Amino acid sequence: MATKNYTVPTLAKWFNSFPHYNLQFLQINNTFSPEESDYQEALGFWAAVPAAWLTVTLFFFLVYFCARCCSNGTARKHPAYCLRWTIGILSLIALTGVAIGLYGNVEANQGVHDFATATESANKTITGVETQVNVMNSGLTDMMSPLDRLRDLVTEIPGAEKIINDTIAEVKKLVSELGTIPFDQEGVNLQLIADDTRFYEYYRFMGTVLLLVLEIVVGLVALCGVGRGSRCLLIFMTCLAFLCLFVCFGGGAVYLAAGVGAGDFCVSPSAYIKDQVKDEVIPKAVLEYYINCHPTSVNPFSQTISRGRDGVSQAKDFLREVEGLTTNLPGAKEIITEIGGKLNTTESSFDELVALVRCQKLNEEYVDALNAVCYDALEGVAYMLVSSLAVGLLFTVSMVLASLAWQRLGRRKQYIEIDEEDPFLPPSGMTPTMNRTSQGPLDHYLRGGDRGEREPLMRDNRTPPPSYTYAVRDNRDRMQDNQQNPTVEKRQW
């Protein structure tokens, strides 16, 4: 069976190329070594970059809003249409960035679950080897009782007792040889690692989804605010966006440090694993065999299995000699048949053990685990990093624009009841302030004020002319005269 090969992803190389500095701003090696303090400081250095960005943003908002408060609203107000459109477009782009973050979260979750599955599968492979060895040891141990009974029967046959003792010694040697095959002598439980990984990943995934939902709510509130022209919604959006800045830049700090660390690991994972695994847990030769799994690699258990097979063959030869010496001994044939059956079972178990200890199966699971971490999970982290920083920047700009927009929108004023049949009502697009302004001179003229001629005209040319009342009176008098004298009306017509 062909072995799978692990190739270092380009994204891991890119993260690994980031310069690593400790707190003294001294560049250190980019080899993955999380147990060293200098390397931890290097990851903290990159985590501090988004945190510093957040600090600068908060200081900017402090200065900006203080300046806005001190302006006393003396600036001339302009229509907020452009601001509303800009905020709406930025909100749509931010929602797209959140969608990228959701995709990255799913991708990282899939990678972590694939890692747990590969770890669980490797644990089953190792457990299968242990189970097979335990079954063989149990069969060989059970063989000791019939061998002792057979030895008691052949005490009077010359040479038979010595042969049986040699057979017992060979069986004990087999048990000792098989005890060296399981290579997790400290009881490394990969199943526990897989279960813990799934447990913590569930809460990480759900927590990330909730934070992204909060960002979606901010975007939707912004769209509703600019769509309805509501000051309250824009102010509410600004408050939520301010909270989301901590979420975005805090998440960016975590994702950036995780991406750099994962990139360092994925560039040379085998070297780190070989350095961390102790020789008393897994011998170096065994670890090298399963990690590399070259076609020319020699199985470190091949000699042990060969000696075990030779021991079974030797025991079967001893048993045949005893069978020839005890032909006429009653009860010996049944015991010899029982021992022979156990030896045959042990011999066939060696064939199954050879297939279990081959490197192809365990190496495939090892490569699957690396691909899950260094491809799927690392790509997901990169997507979430880009999403967090981009959404944080967009929310920053949207907050500035929203603070400009809500002052220009103004409060909605209450309408007063008016006569809709009045021919001198202004068009429906005029504001209540303009209605009240245009109605002031009209009321003055209709009351017959003597200063009506000296009132200035409205700039929008919608106010009736100052001589309107006099024209109305002349027209009314003329109509009355015509009704009293129809002949005059015809001549005039």
Side-chain angles (χ1 to χ4, degrees), residues 38-59:
D38 284 342
Y39 186 80
Q40 295 173 3
E41 293 174 1
L43 296 183
F45 173 83
W46 284 110
V49 173
W53 187 353
L54 174 61
T55 304
V56 173
T57 303
L58 295 178
F59 180 75

Side-chain angles (χ1 to χ4, degrees), residues 117-181:
T117 301
T119 304
E120 190 175 34
S121 180
N123 182 73
K124 290 180 179 179
T125 302
I126 296 174
T127 303
V129 174
E130 294 178 347
T131 302
Q132 186 67 21
V133 171
N134 291 334
V135 169
M136 295 172 66
N137 282 333
S138 178
L140 292 173
T141 303
D142 293 340
M143 197 184 303
M144 303 300 294
S145 178
L147 283 173
D148 290 337
R149 286 189 283 114
L150 182 61
R151 184 174 53 184
D152 294 338
L153 289 176
V154 299
T155 53
E156 297 180 357
I157 299 177
E161 185 176 3
K162 181 180 180 303
I163 296 174
I164 294 176
N165 288 332
D166 292 341
T167 304
I168 293 175
E170 196 65 37
V171 170
K172 291 182 178 180
K173 184 179 178 182
L174 279 175
V175 173
S176 177
E177 290 287 347
L178 289 174
T180 63
I181 291 181

Side-chain angles (χ1 to χ4, degrees), residues 249-314:
F249 291 111
V254 174
Y255 298 141
L256 182 56
V260 173
D264 295 340
F265 169 78
C266 294
V267 167
S268 182
S270 299
Y272 175 74
I273 294 175
K274 293 175 185 178
D275 184 65
Q276 292 298 310
V277 176
K278 298 179 180 180
D279 190 65
E280 57 269 17
V281 177
I282 301 177
K284 294 296 183 182
V286 175
L287 189 63
E288 187 80 21
Y289 172 70
Y290 285 102
I291 287 180
N292 298 327
C293 194
H294 295 304
T296 58
S297 299
V298 178
N299 192 327
F301 302 119
S302 58
Q303 295 183 355
T304 301
I305 294 175
S306 297
R307 289 196 297 267
R309 281 177 167 174
D310 293 341
V312 171
S313 299
Q314 186 69 29

Side-chain angles (χ1 to χ4, degrees), residues 423-467:
F424 299 105
L425 283 176
S428 59
M430 295 181 64
T431 62
T433 304
M434 296 176 64
N435 290 340
R436 290 194 299 271
T437 304
S438 62
Q439 290 173 6
L442 178 60
D443 294 340
H444 179 73
Y445 299 142
L446 292 179
R447 287 195 301 269
D450 57 348
R451 294 185 295 111
E453 297 290 344
R454 295 191 297 272
E455 293 290 341
L457 295 176
M458 293 292 292
R459 284 180 296 179
D460 56 5
N461 297 326
R462 294 194 181 104
T463 304
S467 60

Side-chain angles (χ1 to χ4, degrees), residues 153 157 322-333 336:
L153 289 176
I157 299 177
V322 174
E323 185 179 10
L325 295 175
T326 58
T327 306
N328 299 323
L329 188 65
K333 184 176 181 180
I336 292 174

